[in-house]
Amino acid sequence: MKKIFFIAFMVLFFCINSFATTVSFSTLWDPAQFLNCVDFEIIGICVKNTWHGPEIGLKIRHYIPSLLVETVKQPGQTLMPVVGSIVSKTATEALKSLIGVNATSGSITVPGQSNLQFNEVHVYNFPFKNLLGLYFGGLWCGGGTSGWNTASFFKYFSELDALEWRTGTLETLTHLPQISLNILCVSPYAPSSIGMGYWGPIYPRTGFVVHQNPVVGSAADVFRAVRNDWIGSTGGHIQITPILWQPTTNDKLEILYPHPSACFKIGTLPELWDKGEVSPNGEYLYLYWRRVECCVF
């Protein structure tokens, strides 16, 4: 049954070029571009005790493309083909049930805050995460088919988490100690437990970001949303399917839409990755890369 589901899912993605007007299959799967983001390293040796004695292997470190994450300006908007109607209906209906009215825009302005930004964020599983392992001859963490996890494609919609994503009430109570240290985040050298380097503070993990650069504001909201979806997250956030690994500032992002970019670590100086190509519709699509280490034998 899993194989049938997987094949059907692959067929849907191969049909993207027939349906999408903004995102194509070549955007979602481009090995020539993605291989530059893996940063494969052999960092030492490791030992595993087996019934016939110790077995020596290689300890490796690399990045895995784990999530697709989009930011949009209106609830229910999406760049995702094929599943777009599901996303739109789920997000808009959820937001309507929470706030009691149809929301036509996720953009919120506050007097005196000209650099205040707000984005809705949708987090999806990236189903091709382990295909890149084919290029490394089995030296890959989490290889095989178990990591495809296509059944949990939908991870987190900020519209479903509207109360905390907009107000951060429980978030603020839970993370008050970290928020009280946000003044430290004016420096890119603030502790990674509270700050995103040049992007500002992590907490509260709401959709509001103060930054003059809309691309940086979008990227910061991506990291906050992914942190909200971690299974160990606190603050009352609503998740669709929690991720089991903890996102950190060692992870990386790669812009897929509107213009493909190289990979960059969370919090990197914007001038090193932002080429000034602001999305004309305020929408962005990212590939989220998770740093992993493992032993291979």
Side-chain angles (χ1 to χ4, degrees), residues 33-73:
Q33 179 179 342
F34 293 172
L35 285 172
N36 293 326
C37 297
V38 174
D39 287 348
F40 179 87
E41 297 178 89
I42 297 176
I43 56 177
I45 62 172
C46 49
V47 179
K48 178 175 69 173
N49 291 319
T50 66
W51 66 273
H52 54 77
E55 185 176 342
I56 298 177
L58 293 176
K59 188 175 184 180
I60 63 174
R61 175 192 295 152
H62 62 84
Y63 285 84
I64 290 181
S66 299
L67 302 168
L68 285 168
V69 190
E70 63 181 350
T71 69
V72 297
K73 288 301 181 183

mmCIF file of all heavy atoms in Angstrom, residues 33-73:
data_model
loop_
_atom_site.group_PDB
_atom_site.id
_atom_site.type_symbol
_atom_site.label_atom_id
_atom_site.label_comp_id
_atom_site.label_asym_id
_atom_site.label_seq_id
_atom_site.Cartn_x
_atom_site.Cartn_y
_atom_site.Cartn_z
ATOM 1 N N GLN A 33 21.462 21.866 -8.907
ATOM 2 C CA GLN A 33 21.500 22.963 -7.951
ATOM 3 C C GLN A 33 21.562 22.451 -6.516
ATOM 4 O O GLN A 33 22.310 22.962 -5.683
ATOM 5 C CB GLN A 33 20.280 23.861 -8.116
ATOM 6 C CG GLN A 33 20.232 25.033 -7.142
ATOM 7 C CD GLN A 33 19.013 25.904 -7.354
ATOM 8 O OE1 GLN A 33 18.372 25.859 -8.387
ATOM 9 N NE2 GLN A 33 18.682 26.691 -6.356
ATOM 10 N N PHE A 34 20.812 21.403 -6.216
ATOM 11 C CA PHE A 34 20.698 20.923 -4.853
ATOM 12 C C PHE A 34 21.995 20.304 -4.329
ATOM 13 O O PHE A 34 22.289 20.388 -3.138
ATOM 14 C CB PHE A 34 19.577 19.884 -4.739
ATOM 15 C CG PHE A 34 18.202 20.445 -4.968
ATOM 16 C CD1 PHE A 34 17.103 19.607 -5.063
ATOM 17 C CD2 PHE A 34 17.987 21.816 -5.082
ATOM 18 C CE1 PHE A 34 15.828 20.106 -5.256
ATOM 19 C CE2 PHE A 34 16.715 22.332 -5.288
ATOM 20 C CZ PHE A 34 15.639 21.483 -5.374
ATOM 21 N N LEU A 35 22.767 19.663 -5.205
ATOM 22 C CA LEU A 35 23.986 18.989 -4.759
ATOM 23 C C LEU A 35 24.983 19.956 -4.141
ATOM 24 O O LEU A 35 25.797 19.574 -3.291
ATOM 25 C CB LEU A 35 24.627 18.231 -5.929
ATOM 26 C CG LEU A 35 23.921 16.938 -6.337
ATOM 27 C CD1 LEU A 35 24.514 16.384 -7.624
ATOM 28 C CD2 LEU A 35 24.027 15.895 -5.228
ATOM 29 N N ASN A 36 24.913 21.217 -4.532
ATOM 30 C CA ASN A 36 25.813 22.213 -3.954
ATOM 31 C C ASN A 36 25.482 22.515 -2.499
ATOM 32 O O ASN A 36 26.293 23.114 -1.786
ATOM 33 C CB ASN A 36 25.751 23.512 -4.768
ATOM 34 C CG ASN A 36 26.327 23.348 -6.164
ATOM 35 O OD1 ASN A 36 27.272 22.590 -6.354
ATOM 36 N ND2 ASN A 36 25.761 24.046 -7.134
ATOM 37 N N CYS A 37 24.299 22.117 -2.056
ATOM 38 C CA CYS A 37 23.863 22.435 -0.700
ATOM 39 C C CYS A 37 24.135 21.315 0.294
ATOM 40 O O CYS A 37 23.991 21.509 1.501
ATOM 41 C CB CYS A 37 22.364 22.753 -0.695
ATOM 42 S SG CYS A 37 21.911 24.200 -1.665
ATOM 43 N N VAL A 38 24.506 20.132 -0.189
ATOM 44 C CA VAL A 38 24.670 18.978 0.681
ATOM 45 C C VAL A 38 25.834 19.162 1.652
ATOM 46 O O VAL A 38 25.751 18.770 2.823
ATOM 47 C CB VAL A 38 24.863 17.693 -0.154
ATOM 48 C CG1 VAL A 38 25.191 16.509 0.740
ATOM 49 C CG2 VAL A 38 23.598 17.402 -0.964
ATOM 50 N N ASP A 39 26.937 19.747 1.188
ATOM 51 C CA ASP A 39 28.132 19.971 2.034
ATOM 52 C C ASP A 39 28.573 18.697 2.740
ATOM 53 O O ASP A 39 28.760 18.656 3.962
ATOM 54 C CB ASP A 39 27.871 21.069 3.083
ATOM 55 C CG ASP A 39 27.837 22.460 2.464
ATOM 56 O OD1 ASP A 39 28.241 22.588 1.291
ATOM 57 O OD2 ASP A 39 27.416 23.397 3.140
ATOM 58 N N PHE A 40 28.780 17.652 1.983
ATOM 59 C CA PHE A 40 29.126 16.356 2.540
ATOM 60 C C PHE A 40 30.523 16.375 3.157
ATOM 61 O O PHE A 40 31.465 16.884 2.561
ATOM 62 C CB PHE A 40 29.058 15.281 1.452
ATOM 63 C CG PHE A 40 29.426 13.910 1.926
ATOM 64 C CD1 PHE A 40 28.477 13.080 2.494
ATOM 65 C CD2 PHE A 40 30.739 13.449 1.818
ATOM 66 C CE1 PHE A 40 28.806 11.822 2.939
ATOM 67 C CE2 PHE A 40 31.079 12.179 2.267
ATOM 68 C CZ PHE A 40 30.107 11.363 2.824
ATOM 69 N N GLU A 41 30.649 15.806 4.396
ATOM 70 C CA GLU A 41 31.937 15.733 5.076
ATOM 71 C C GLU A 41 32.091 14.379 5.748
ATOM 72 O O GLU A 41 31.133 13.836 6.295
ATOM 73 C CB GLU A 41 32.053 16.794 6.177
ATOM 74 C CG GLU A 41 32.004 18.227 5.744
ATOM 75 C CD GLU A 41 32.076 19.150 6.950
ATOM 76 O OE1 GLU A 41 33.205 19.513 7.357
ATOM 77 O OE2 GLU A 41 31.007 19.478 7.501
ATOM 78 N N ILE A 42 33.301 13.852 5.730
ATOM 79 C CA ILE A 42 33.676 12.720 6.584
ATOM 80 C C ILE A 42 34.414 13.328 7.769
ATOM 81 O O ILE A 42 35.477 13.935 7.611
ATOM 82 C CB ILE A 42 34.561 11.716 5.845
ATOM 83 C CG1 ILE A 42 33.790 11.104 4.668
ATOM 84 C CG2 ILE A 42 35.040 10.619 6.794
ATOM 85 C CD1 ILE A 42 34.620 10.158 3.818
ATOM 86 N N ILE A 43 33.842 13.201 8.970
ATOM 87 C CA ILE A 43 34.383 13.935 10.108
ATOM 88 C C ILE A 43 35.087 13.033 11.123
ATOM 89 O O ILE A 43 35.559 13.511 12.154
ATOM 90 C CB ILE A 43 33.274 14.740 10.814
ATOM 91 C CG1 ILE A 43 32.120 13.836 11.257
ATOM 92 C CG2 ILE A 43 32.762 15.847 9.917
ATOM 93 C CD1 ILE A 43 31.032 14.567 12.024
ATOM 94 N N GLY A 44 35.172 11.732 10.833
ATOM 95 C CA GLY A 44 35.875 10.854 11.749
ATOM 96 C C GLY A 44 35.463 9.403 11.563
ATOM 97 O O GLY A 44 34.861 9.037 10.543
ATOM 98 N N ILE A 45 35.786 8.597 12.555
ATOM 99 C CA ILE A 45 35.382 7.198 12.535
ATOM 100 C C ILE A 45 34.467 6.925 13.723
ATOM 101 O O ILE A 45 34.437 7.691 14.687
ATOM 102 C CB ILE A 45 36.602 6.248 12.566
ATOM 103 C CG1 ILE A 45 37.401 6.449 13.865
ATOM 104 C CG2 ILE A 45 37.474 6.449 11.341
ATOM 105 C CD1 ILE A 45 38.497 5.418 14.052
ATOM 106 N N CYS A 46 33.722 5.863 13.636
ATOM 107 C CA CYS A 46 32.821 5.488 14.721
ATOM 108 C C CYS A 46 32.866 3.976 14.879
ATOM 109 O O CYS A 46 33.270 3.251 13.958
ATOM 110 C CB CYS A 46 31.396 5.970 14.450
ATOM 111 S SG CYS A 46 30.790 5.568 12.800
ATOM 112 N N VAL A 47 32.474 3.501 16.040
ATOM 113 C CA VAL A 47 32.548 2.083 16.344
ATOM 114 C C VAL A 47 31.187 1.592 16.820
ATOM 115 O O VAL A 47 30.533 2.238 17.654
ATOM 116 C CB VAL A 47 33.609 1.804 17.430
ATOM 117 C CG1 VAL A 47 33.654 0.311 17.758
ATOM 118 C CG2 VAL A 47 34.984 2.293 16.987
ATOM 119 N N LYS A 48 30.768 0.462 16.288
ATOM 120 C CA LYS A 48 29.518 -0.178 16.713
ATOM 121 C C LYS A 48 29.834 -1.576 17.224
ATOM 122 O O LYS A 48 30.543 -2.348 16.557
ATOM 123 C CB LYS A 48 28.531 -0.256 15.551
ATOM 124 C CG LYS A 48 27.225 -0.946 15.911
ATOM 125 C CD LYS A 48 26.228 -0.886 14.769
ATOM 126 C CE LYS A 48 26.662 -1.739 13.598
ATOM 127 N NZ LYS A 48 25.622 -1.825 12.541
ATOM 128 N N ASN A 49 29.347 -1.887 18.411
ATOM 129 C CA ASN A 49 29.559 -3.217 18.982
ATOM 130 C C ASN A 49 28.525 -4.188 18.419
ATOM 131 O O ASN A 49 27.313 -3.954 18.514
ATOM 132 C CB ASN A 49 29.469 -3.173 20.502
ATOM 133 C CG ASN A 49 30.626 -2.421 21.121
ATOM 134 O OD1 ASN A 49 31.767 -2.574 20.680
ATOM 135 N ND2 ASN A 49 30.344 -1.618 22.140
ATOM 136 N N THR A 50 28.982 -5.238 17.797
ATOM 137 C CA THR A 50 28.112 -6.270 17.252
ATOM 138 C C THR A 50 28.408 -7.597 17.932
ATOM 139 O O THR A 50 29.357 -7.726 18.718
ATOM 140 C CB THR A 50 28.310 -6.413 15.730
ATOM 141 O OG1 THR A 50 29.641 -6.917 15.485
ATOM 142 C CG2 THR A 50 28.148 -5.064 15.039
ATOM 143 N N TRP A 51 27.625 -8.626 17.614
ATOM 144 C CA TRP A 51 27.794 -9.934 18.254
ATOM 145 C C TRP A 51 29.142 -10.558 17.923
ATOM 146 O O TRP A 51 29.657 -11.389 18.664
ATOM 147 C CB TRP A 51 26.656 -10.869 17.854
ATOM 148 C CG TRP A 51 26.651 -11.227 16.389
ATOM 149 C CD1 TRP A 51 26.063 -10.543 15.386
ATOM 150 C CD2 TRP A 51 27.276 -12.368 15.805
ATOM 151 N NE1 TRP A 51 26.274 -11.165 14.185
ATOM 152 C CE2 TRP A 51 27.014 -12.299 14.413
ATOM 153 C CE3 TRP A 51 28.022 -13.440 16.292
ATOM 154 C CZ2 TRP A 51 27.479 -13.261 13.518
ATOM 155 C CZ3 TRP A 51 28.489 -14.395 15.408
ATOM 156 C CH2 TRP A 51 28.216 -14.300 14.032
ATOM 157 N N HIS A 52 29.740 -10.159 16.799
ATOM 158 C CA HIS A 52 31.028 -10.721 16.428
ATOM 159 C C HIS A 52 32.179 -9.741 16.697
ATOM 160 O O HIS A 52 33.300 -9.934 16.227
ATOM 161 C CB HIS A 52 31.043 -11.144 14.951
ATOM 162 C CG HIS A 52 30.638 -10.044 14.010
ATOM 163 N ND1 HIS A 52 31.482 -9.019 13.658
ATOM 164 C CD2 HIS A 52 29.478 -9.824 13.354
ATOM 165 C CE1 HIS A 52 30.851 -8.217 12.811
ATOM 166 N NE2 HIS A 52 29.645 -8.680 12.616
ATOM 167 N N GLY A 53 31.881 -8.692 17.480
ATOM 168 C CA GLY A 53 32.945 -7.771 17.853
ATOM 169 C C GLY A 53 32.713 -6.365 17.327
ATOM 170 O O GLY A 53 31.721 -6.093 16.623
ATOM 171 N N PRO A 54 33.622 -5.437 17.645
ATOM 172 C CA PRO A 54 33.478 -4.051 17.201
ATOM 173 C C PRO A 54 33.543 -3.938 15.675
ATOM 174 O O PRO A 54 34.299 -4.651 15.017
ATOM 175 C CB PRO A 54 34.677 -3.337 17.850
ATOM 176 C CG PRO A 54 35.109 -4.236 18.961
ATOM 177 C CD PRO A 54 34.794 -5.627 18.515
ATOM 178 N N GLU A 55 32.732 -3.032 15.147
ATOM 179 C CA GLU A 55 32.722 -2.764 13.714
ATOM 180 C C GLU A 55 32.992 -1.286 13.513
ATOM 181 O O GLU A 55 32.347 -0.429 14.121
ATOM 182 C CB GLU A 55 31.369 -3.155 13.120
ATOM 183 C CG GLU A 55 31.301 -3.029 11.617
ATOM 184 C CD GLU A 55 29.975 -3.517 11.058
ATOM 185 O OE1 GLU A 55 29.262 -4.255 11.780
ATOM 186 O OE2 GLU A 55 29.636 -3.152 9.919
ATOM 187 N N ILE A 56 33.980 -0.995 12.688
ATOM 188 C CA ILE A 56 34.392 0.392 12.473
ATOM 189 C C ILE A 56 33.701 0.958 11.235
ATOM 190 O O ILE A 56 33.632 0.313 10.183
ATOM 191 C CB ILE A 56 35.924 0.490 12.309
ATOM 192 C CG1 ILE A 56 36.614 0.015 13.592
ATOM 193 C CG2 ILE A 56 36.345 1.924 11.984
ATOM 194 C CD1 ILE A 56 38.121 0.010 13.499
ATOM 195 N N GLY A 57 33.186 2.174 11.390
ATOM 196 C CA GLY A 57 32.532 2.844 10.274
ATOM 197 C C GLY A 57 32.989 4.284 10.154
ATOM 198 O O GLY A 57 33.900 4.740 10.855
ATOM 199 N N LEU A 58 32.360 5.003 9.258
ATOM 200 C CA LEU A 58 32.679 6.407 9.027
ATOM 201 C C LEU A 58 31.603 7.296 9.632
ATOM 202 O O LEU A 58 30.403 7.029 9.476
ATOM 203 C CB LEU A 58 32.780 6.697 7.524
ATOM 204 C CG LEU A 58 33.936 6.053 6.759
ATOM 205 C CD1 LEU A 58 33.806 6.363 5.274
ATOM 206 C CD2 LEU A 58 35.274 6.545 7.294
ATOM 207 N N LYS A 59 32.029 8.329 10.315
ATOM 208 C CA LYS A 59 31.094 9.330 10.811
ATOM 209 C C LYS A 59 31.012 10.441 9.780
ATOM 210 O O LYS A 59 32.028 11.044 9.418
ATOM 211 C CB LYS A 59 31.537 9.891 12.164
ATOM 212 C CG LYS A 59 30.504 10.800 12.815
ATOM 213 C CD LYS A 59 30.932 11.225 14.207
ATOM 214 C CE LYS A 59 29.840 12.052 14.891
ATOM 215 N NZ LYS A 59 30.239 12.472 16.253
ATOM 216 N N ILE A 60 29.804 10.699 9.297
ATOM 217 C CA ILE A 60 29.629 11.688 8.231
ATOM 218 C C ILE A 60 28.670 12.792 8.681
ATOM 219 O O ILE A 60 27.875 12.618 9.602
ATOM 220 C CB ILE A 60 29.104 11.047 6.929
ATOM 221 C CG1 ILE A 60 27.708 10.428 7.148
ATOM 222 C CG2 ILE A 60 30.082 10.008 6.416
ATOM 223 C CD1 ILE A 60 27.068 9.898 5.877
ATOM 224 N N ARG A 61 28.795 13.928 8.029
ATOM 225 C CA ARG A 61 27.905 15.068 8.277
ATOM 226 C C ARG A 61 27.512 15.655 6.927
ATOM 227 O O ARG A 61 28.353 15.819 6.028
ATOM 228 C CB ARG A 61 28.604 16.124 9.121
ATOM 229 C CG ARG A 61 27.775 17.407 9.336
ATOM 230 C CD ARG A 61 28.647 18.513 9.932
ATOM 231 N NE ARG A 61 29.115 18.156 11.269
ATOM 232 C CZ ARG A 61 30.258 18.604 11.795
ATOM 233 N NH1 ARG A 61 31.055 19.379 11.080
ATOM 234 N NH2 ARG A 61 30.603 18.252 13.018
ATOM 235 N N HIS A 62 26.251 15.977 6.795
ATOM 236 C CA HIS A 62 25.797 16.635 5.565
ATOM 237 C C HIS A 62 24.425 17.252 5.809
ATOM 238 O O HIS A 62 23.864 17.164 6.914
ATOM 239 C CB HIS A 62 25.755 15.649 4.391
ATOM 240 C CG HIS A 62 24.809 14.499 4.566
ATOM 241 N ND1 HIS A 62 23.474 14.578 4.269
ATOM 242 C CD2 HIS A 62 25.013 13.231 5.017
ATOM 243 C CE1 HIS A 62 22.889 13.425 4.501
ATOM 244 N NE2 HIS A 62 23.795 12.580 4.975
ATOM 245 N N TYR A 63 23.886 17.881 4.792
ATOM 246 C CA TYR A 63 22.557 18.498 4.874
ATOM 247 C C TYR A 63 21.570 17.693 4.042
ATOM 248 O O TYR A 63 21.898 17.210 2.951
ATOM 249 C CB TYR A 63 22.595 19.942 4.369
ATOM 250 C CG TYR A 63 23.236 20.912 5.337
ATOM 251 C CD1 TYR A 63 24.613 21.080 5.373
ATOM 252 C CD2 TYR A 63 22.455 21.666 6.217
ATOM 253 C CE1 TYR A 63 25.205 21.969 6.259
ATOM 254 C CE2 TYR A 63 23.043 22.564 7.104
ATOM 255 C CZ TYR A 63 24.420 22.703 7.120
ATOM 256 O OH TYR A 63 24.996 23.587 8.000
ATOM 257 N N ILE A 64 20.366 17.558 4.576
ATOM 258 C CA ILE A 64 19.278 16.866 3.884
ATOM 259 C C ILE A 64 18.181 17.878 3.554
ATOM 260 O O ILE A 64 17.755 18.640 4.432
ATOM 261 C CB ILE A 64 18.683 15.745 4.765
ATOM 262 C CG1 ILE A 64 19.684 14.602 4.918
ATOM 263 C CG2 ILE A 64 17.391 15.206 4.165
ATOM 264 C CD1 ILE A 64 19.160 13.448 5.758
ATOM 265 N N PRO A 65 17.697 17.905 2.315
ATOM 266 C CA PRO A 65 16.563 18.780 1.985
ATOM 267 C C PRO A 65 15.284 18.198 2.579
ATOM 268 O O PRO A 65 14.740 17.232 2.068
ATOM 269 C CB PRO A 65 16.543 18.761 0.448
ATOM 270 C CG PRO A 65 17.138 17.434 0.095
ATOM 271 C CD PRO A 65 18.150 17.112 1.164
ATOM 272 N N SER A 66 14.799 18.785 3.657
ATOM 273 C CA SER A 66 13.774 18.126 4.463
ATOM 274 C C SER A 66 12.364 18.668 4.285
ATOM 275 O O SER A 66 11.390 17.922 4.395
ATOM 276 C CB SER A 66 14.158 18.210 5.947
ATOM 277 O OG SER A 66 15.381 17.548 6.172
ATOM 278 N N LEU A 67 12.231 19.973 4.047
ATOM 279 C CA LEU A 67 10.910 20.596 4.029
ATOM 280 C C LEU A 67 10.781 21.589 2.878
ATOM 281 O O LEU A 67 11.760 22.231 2.482
ATOM 282 C CB LEU A 67 10.653 21.345 5.343
ATOM 283 C CG LEU A 67 10.729 20.554 6.653
ATOM 284 C CD1 LEU A 67 10.745 21.508 7.840
ATOM 285 C CD2 LEU A 67 9.575 19.574 6.759
ATOM 286 N N LEU A 68 9.577 21.711 2.367
ATOM 287 C CA LEU A 68 9.209 22.815 1.493
ATOM 288 C C LEU A 68 8.411 23.799 2.336
ATOM 289 O O LEU A 68 7.475 23.393 3.036
ATOM 290 C CB LEU A 68 8.352 22.329 0.323
ATOM 291 C CG LEU A 68 9.061 21.577 -0.796
ATOM 292 C CD1 LEU A 68 8.040 20.922 -1.717
ATOM 293 C CD2 LEU A 68 9.961 22.510 -1.595
ATOM 294 N N VAL A 69 8.781 25.062 2.287
ATOM 295 C CA VAL A 69 8.099 26.066 3.104
ATOM 296 C C VAL A 69 7.791 27.284 2.240
ATOM 297 O O VAL A 69 8.673 27.801 1.558
ATOM 298 C CB VAL A 69 8.958 26.499 4.312
ATOM 299 C CG1 VAL A 69 8.119 27.353 5.266
ATOM 300 C CG2 VAL A 69 9.534 25.301 5.036
ATOM 301 N N GLU A 70 6.539 27.728 2.275
ATOM 302 C CA GLU A 70 6.160 28.915 1.516
ATOM 303 C C GLU A 70 5.628 29.986 2.450
ATOM 304 O O GLU A 70 5.031 29.688 3.487
ATOM 305 C CB GLU A 70 5.109 28.573 0.456
ATOM 306 C CG GLU A 70 3.792 28.070 1.016
ATOM 307 C CD GLU A 70 2.774 27.727 -0.064
ATOM 308 O OE1 GLU A 70 3.012 28.060 -1.240
ATOM 309 O OE2 GLU A 70 1.733 27.134 0.288
ATOM 310 N N THR A 71 5.883 31.236 2.085
ATOM 311 C CA THR A 71 5.283 32.370 2.790
ATOM 312 C C THR A 71 4.423 33.133 1.800
ATOM 313 O O THR A 71 4.819 33.344 0.652
ATOM 314 C CB THR A 71 6.355 33.309 3.389
ATOM 315 O OG1 THR A 71 7.061 33.982 2.336
ATOM 316 C CG2 THR A 71 7.336 32.540 4.246
ATOM 317 N N VAL A 72 3.240 33.518 2.253
ATOM 318 C CA VAL A 72 2.291 34.238 1.402
ATOM 319 C C VAL A 72 1.691 35.384 2.192
ATOM 320 O O VAL A 72 1.801 35.443 3.409
ATOM 321 C CB VAL A 72 1.176 33.295 0.886
ATOM 322 C CG1 VAL A 72 1.748 32.200 0.005
ATOM 323 C CG2 VAL A 72 0.396 32.685 2.049
ATOM 324 N N LYS A 73 1.041 36.296 1.496
ATOM 325 C CA LYS A 73 0.498 37.482 2.146
ATOM 326 C C LYS A 73 -0.985 37.383 2.473
ATOM 327 O O LYS A 73 -1.495 38.131 3.290
ATOM 328 C CB LYS A 73 0.750 38.718 1.259
ATOM 329 C CG LYS A 73 2.202 39.155 1.220
ATOM 330 C CD LYS A 73 2.711 39.497 2.612
ATOM 331 C CE LYS A 73 4.146 39.963 2.617
ATOM 332 N NZ LYS A 73 4.651 40.224 3.988
#
